[in-house]
Amino acid sequence: QVQLEESGGGQVQPGGSLRLSCVAHGNIASFAGLGWYRQAPGKARELVGFVTSGGSTYVTDSVKGRFTISGDNDKNAVYLQLNKAIPEDAAVYYCNAVSVVTVAGYEHRELWGQGTLVTVSS
């Protein structure tokens, strides 16, 4: 049993900063990737960024230069630092994990957090 705990969502002013955290809880042996998606009202869910267990990072072009993503393998965590927020950043942000293997040998192909709301308002 693995679950993703998201935190850090809330209101941010235009130009402001916010940090989202996601921690995978459970008896985890390994994972392939941890990342963040977002979905704005009326829009499709969009990949924002991810980290791999090998240390690679990726962020989508629309946030490159403003957002950074990082991970902590020991904590099975991924962090998304939102800087220079713009109204387009307002969305529900979802933590995503792929290929999570428990110590018992069970593989969760894909897991989702419940989502955390980020609003951009002055």
Side-chain angles (χ1 to χ4, degrees):
Q1 193 83 12
V2 178
Q3 60 184 24
L4 306 180
E5 181 184 20
E6 302 155 321
S7 62
Q11 183 178 348
V12 61
Q13 294 186 348
S17 297
L18 199 68
R19 191 183 80 147
L20 304 181
S21 299
C22 175
V23 180
H25 294 282
N27 296 321
I28 298 170
S30 66
F31 64 89
L34 292 170
W36 287 95
Y37 286 71
R38 67 184 182 185
Q39 187 167 24
K43 303 294 180 63
R45 189 170 297 189
E46 171 191 32
L47 173 65
V48 179
F50 64 84
V51 298
T52 70
S53 61
S56 298
T57 62
Y58 165 86
V59 294
T60 190
D61 286 345
S62 63
V63 304
K64 191 171 296 181
R66 299 188 299 112
F67 291 12
T68 58
I69 196 162
S70 60
D72 186 333
N73 285 353
D74 291 336
K75 296 181 179 179
N76 297 311
V78 61
Y79 310 99
L80 184 68
Q81 179 70 40
L82 292 74
N83 296 322
K84 301 179 180 179
I86 60 175
E88 288 79 5
D89 295 328
V92 178
Y93 285 71
Y94 297 91
C95 184
N96 171 257
V98 295
S99 299
V100 180
V101 180
T102 69
V103 295
Y106 181 82
E107 181 176 3
H108 298 265
R109 183 171 176 269
E110 187 173 50
L111 294 168
W112 291 95
Q114 66 179 352
T116 183
L117 178 64
V118 173
T119 60
V120 182
S121 175
S122 60

